[in-house]
């Protein structure tokens, strides 16, 4: 049995998720069948999903230890640089699918096993550390704007909670598409930074100069009423998270009177990830990176994400 270094959940700790993180030796993953391959990971990125896993959300004690990480770029057995699509068909899961690190070992390791169909070519000119940011947060933002939000029919977009991975991705992508973008944050420093990315930054809950056609909602109860009030007739409010409460009060009279659509989504398809990779490569769009940390300091990367001070993605360089 080959051994490798990995970052994994060794137990659960809701109050202090970092205490449940272990960085140490784990068996190299074995492909479950001939349709899977094992890759050498060159870059990965963290998501709040990793912290939730350490808290015990979506995992059972019987699954421990579980190697964390959803996103990665790696080198396949033929020497090709590839981006990993992290959604895997999982018949035992009620959704029919799961994300790497839920049922199958994740990407925060020296090597990872994935289905061959999950491998997408790394576009020329796109660095591995940039592409590793795209498969979860950026893919979710892309789907929220395109397939769900129908942003091609929109002039203006509101992004709630600027600073997180999905929110910053939505700002950059919508701006690159030529839309007027508004982004909210309680933090003045984050408002200043999000304005540099092409958005009009406003305080959380502030009245906008216009109603918008698409709302990107990642916050939840704390911002949902503002999302409803900021929506133009026929607007789409697309929800992918609820970091500040999952049970908002909803004014149904506003929903039907304004003919609003409230849409839920998560992740995207392999074709959508291919489109996102091509868009970034062709338009020169690059992810907002908070920091790049060598794999030898992966625990510091988790601490940075947990601090709540991140702006953009925390990336792990497995070659450093």
């Amino acid at each position: 049995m080959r051994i490798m270094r990995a970052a994994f959940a060794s137990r659960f700790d809701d109050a202090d998720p970092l205490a449940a993180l272990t960085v140490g030796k784990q068996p190299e993953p074995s492909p479950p069948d001939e349709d899977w391959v094992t890759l050498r990971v060159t870059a990965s990125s963290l998501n709040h999903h990793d912290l939730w896993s350490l808290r015990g959300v979506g995992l059972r004690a019987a699954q421990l230890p579980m190697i964390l990480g959803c996103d990665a770029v790696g080198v396949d057995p033929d020497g090709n640089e590839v981006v990993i699509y992290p959604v895997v068909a999982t018949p035992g899961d009620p959704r029919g699918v799961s994300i790497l690190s839920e049922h199958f070992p994740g990407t925060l390791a020296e090597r990872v096993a994935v289905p061959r169909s999950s491998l997408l070519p790394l576009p020329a000119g796109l660095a591995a550390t940039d592409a590793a940011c795209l498969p979860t947060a950026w893919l979710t933002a892309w789907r929220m704007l395109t397939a769900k939000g129908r942003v091609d029919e929109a002039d203006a977009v509101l992004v709630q909670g600027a600073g997180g991975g999905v929110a910053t991705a939505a700002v950059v992508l919508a701006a690159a598409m030529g839309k007027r973008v508004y982004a909210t944050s309680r933090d003045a420093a984050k408002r200043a930074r999000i304005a540099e990315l092409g958005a009009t930054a406003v305080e959380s809950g502030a009245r906008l100069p216009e109603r918008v056609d698409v709302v990107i909602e990642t916050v939840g109860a704390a911002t949902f009423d503002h999302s409803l009030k900021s929506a133009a007739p026929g607007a789409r409010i697309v929800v992918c998270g609820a970091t500040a409460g999952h049970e908002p009060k909803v004014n149904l009279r506003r929903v039907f009177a304004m003919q609003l659509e409230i849409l839920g989504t998560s992740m995207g398809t392999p074709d959508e990830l291919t489109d996102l990779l091509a868009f970034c490569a062709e338009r020169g769009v690059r992810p907002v990176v908070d920091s790049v940390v060598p794999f030898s300091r992966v625990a510091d990367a988790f601490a940075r994400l947990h601090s709540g001070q991140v702006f953009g993605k925390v990336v792990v360089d497995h070659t450093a």
Side-chain angles (χ1 to χ4, degrees), residues 287-303:
V288 180
V289 174
D290 175 88
S291 50
V292 179
V293 178
F295 185 65
S296 59
R297 291 175 41 221
V298 67
D300 293 340
F302 273 86

Side-chain angles (χ1 to χ4, degrees), residues 226-246:
H226 183 247
S227 293
L228 290 169
K229 291 177 178 177
S230 302
R236 284 76 66 194
I237 300 173
V238 191
V239 183
C240 77
T243 56
H246 65 282

Side-chain angles (χ1 to χ4, degrees), residues 254-273:
R254 182 177 290 272
V255 173
F256 66 73
M258 298 288 282
Q259 300 190 54
L260 304 179
E261 297 178 45
I262 300 174
L263 305 162
T265 192
S266 178
M267 304 295 292
T269 67
D271 286 344
E272 286 169 331
L273 181 55

Side-chain angles (χ1 to χ4, degrees), residues 4 12 44 119 175 231 314:
M4 64 178 185
F12 302 134
S44 61
L119 305 183
V314 178

Side-chain angles (χ1 to χ4, degrees), residues 180-194:
R180 294 189 299 276
V181 185
Y182 302 93
T184 66
S185 177
R186 294 173 298 175
D187 187 311
K190 288 185 177 180
R191 290 197 299 272
R193 293 194 65 181
I194 207 72

Side-chain angles (χ1 to χ4, degrees), residues 200-288:
T200 297
V202 298
E203 291 189 26
S204 297
R207 184 169 182 171
L208 305 183
E210 63 179 316
R211 287 197 171 109
V212 301
D213 309 297
V214 179
V215 180
I216 301 300
E217 177 60 79
T218 68
V219 179
T223 58
F224 207 80
D225 186 61
H226 183 247
S227 293
L228 290 169
K229 291 177 178 177
S230 302
R236 284 76 66 194
I237 300 173
V238 191
V239 183
C240 77
T243 56
H246 65 282
E247 295 183 338
K249 290 184 178 180
V250 178
N251 184 337
L252 292 178
R253 286 179 293 186
R254 182 177 290 272
V255 173
F256 66 73
M258 298 288 282
Q259 300 190 54
L260 304 179
E261 297 178 45
I262 300 174
L263 305 162
T265 192
S266 178
M267 304 295 292
T269 67
D271 286 344
E272 286 169 331
L273 181 55
T274 298
D275 290 343
L276 171 61
L277 288 164
F279 182 87
C280 291
E282 293 166 6
R283 301 285 188 96
V285 173
R286 295 296 179 266
V288 180

Side-chain angles (χ1 to χ4, degrees), residues 69-84:
C70 311
D71 294 342
V73 171
V75 178
D76 71 12
D78 298 321
N80 302 307
E81 283 193 287
V82 292
V83 181
I84 297 173

